[in-house]
Amino acid sequence: MGSQSLHMLAVDFGASSGRAVTGAFNGRTLTVSEVHRFNNEPVRLGDHFHWDFLRLFHELKQGIHASRRMAGGAPVSVAVDTWGVDYGLVDAKGRLAGNPYHYRDLRTEQVMPEVFSAIPEKELFRLTGIRSSSINTIYQLYAEEKVRSGYGADGLKMLMMPDLFHYYLSGVMANEYTIASTSGLLDPRSRKWHSDILNTLSIPESLFSEIVMPGTMLGQLRQDIREELQVPDMAVIAAAGHDTAAAVASGPRYRLDGSL
């Protein structure tokens, strides 16, 4: 492989493990190499079940470091995909407002009937095309009292899991389309957050950021991370954030805009 190869890093977070993979493109051939693999072990704290975001972000940085070391040079870009439905909340100062809840946390068990009393289940399906499940983001956010009551909600932002990683890599907040589509809060026709659903459920629209399409360049790797890992400028890309969409996108017959 020639010295002019373009190196790109993809980090895939699964519900039990993750891996960092470098793709090297020499103009004709893409060669993929795994450079880092790690466990994803949720944590129970009190009565609740959480993802250990701090550990996962550490593993992401280790993947960047390993890519630079093993690929013969730092990648020019990094992108993240994860499982669907889960999210983190970030306050007005950019601080993580607690470790993200795991989709199997029991706090959503009792809220589905409340949501259906406001918006019938069939109507929700008609509006979003998403089958009802207690793990869906819509029920998780409805269960977040600090979101619905307005307590502490001023300035809060909801970032789905890949968006959360991208934010702490780049400092740019955005909601990528494919991961947003798992939430049960997206209008698939307009490709925007469904304001009628949000207003009916008293979920503030200010919680959400702009929806961007897969392939959007969000910004550059933050300076403090570059200095920590001793890597040069690196583009942070909002690729297909939902792991299922990322898998479909790898097929040559599919386009991310839905056209044939």
Side-chain angles (χ1 to χ4, degrees):
M1 184 163 297
S3 59
Q4 299 304 310
S5 293
L6 189 68
H7 295 271
M8 300 155 285
L9 180 65
V11 184
D12 170 48
F13 289 92
S16 60
S17 65
R19 59 180 179 164
V21 176
T22 293
F25 183 62
N26 65 3
R28 294 179 17 179
T29 304
L30 177 67
T31 302
V32 177
S33 304
E34 182 179 297
V35 296
H36 183 53
R37 181 175 285 270
F38 50 91
N39 292 331
N40 181 3
E41 299 176 346
V43 177
R44 185 170 296 281
L45 184 63
D47 295 331
H48 293 288
F49 205 30
H50 297 271
W51 298 105
D52 190 352
F53 179 78
L54 300 182
R55 166 54 56 180
L56 295 178
F57 193 73
H58 169 76
E59 297 292 357
L60 170 54
K61 290 192 293 184
Q62 292 304 300
I64 296 173
H65 179 72
S67 177
R68 178 186 63 81
R69 186 181 71 253
M70 298 173 66
V76 298
S77 64
V78 57
V80 171
D81 72 75
T82 77
W83 64 95
V85 307
D86 287 336
Y87 62 89
L89 294 174
V90 177
D91 71 15
K93 294 185 178 180
R95 299 171 300 195
L96 187 65
N99 262 332
Y101 284 100
H102 191 288
Y103 58 80
R104 295 299 182 192
D105 184 76
L106 299 180
R107 78 195 195 289
T108 60
E109 280 193 333
Q110 306 303 319
V111 304
M112 291 181 73
E114 294 183 39
V115 171
F116 295 153
S117 69
I119 309 175
E121 184 176 7
K122 288 184 178 180
E123 178 66 4
L124 272 176
F125 182 78
R126 186 186 71 81
L127 293 172
T128 66
I130 298 296
R131 183 180 67 85
S132 294
S133 171
S134 63
I135 69 174
N136 290 355
T137 316
I138 181 174
Y139 308 113
Q140 294 198 49
L141 280 174
Y142 191 83
E144 290 262 10
E145 291 186 12
K146 62 186 173 185
V147 168
R148 288 196 299 116
S149 68
Y151 174 74
D154 185 28
L156 277 181
K157 290 293 185 180
M158 186 282 293
L159 295 173
M160 305 289 284
M161 291 302 293
D163 306 324
L164 193 64
F165 286 111
H166 287 147
Y167 169 65
Y168 284 112
L169 285 174
S170 68
V172 176
M173 289 189 182
N175 295 127
E176 188 274 326
Y177 176 75
T178 68
I179 196 69
S181 72
T182 72
S183 67
L185 292 166
L186 187 75
D187 183 341
R189 299 167 183 84
S190 68
R191 298 188 174 187
K192 296 180 180 179
W193 297 111
H194 208 302
S195 57
D196 289 345
I197 295 176
L198 297 176
N199 293 334
T200 300
L201 300 180
S202 299
I203 299 174
E205 291 189 58
S206 61
L207 200 64
F208 302 87
S209 299
E210 176 189 2
I211 291 177
V212 300
M213 299 308 293
T216 299
M217 178 177 170
L218 297 176
Q220 295 293 320
L221 191 66
R222 289 168 41 145
Q223 182 177 349
D224 59 304
I225 298 178
R226 296 201 309 268
E227 292 175 353
E228 176 188 354
L229 302 179
Q230 298 183 352
V231 295
D233 282 352
M234 186 181 305
V236 179
I237 308 295
H242 187 210
D243 51 10
T244 304
V248 171
S250 66
R253 296 184 180 181
Y254 295 88
R255 294 180 181 175
L256 294 176
D257 63 5
S259 62
L260 298 176

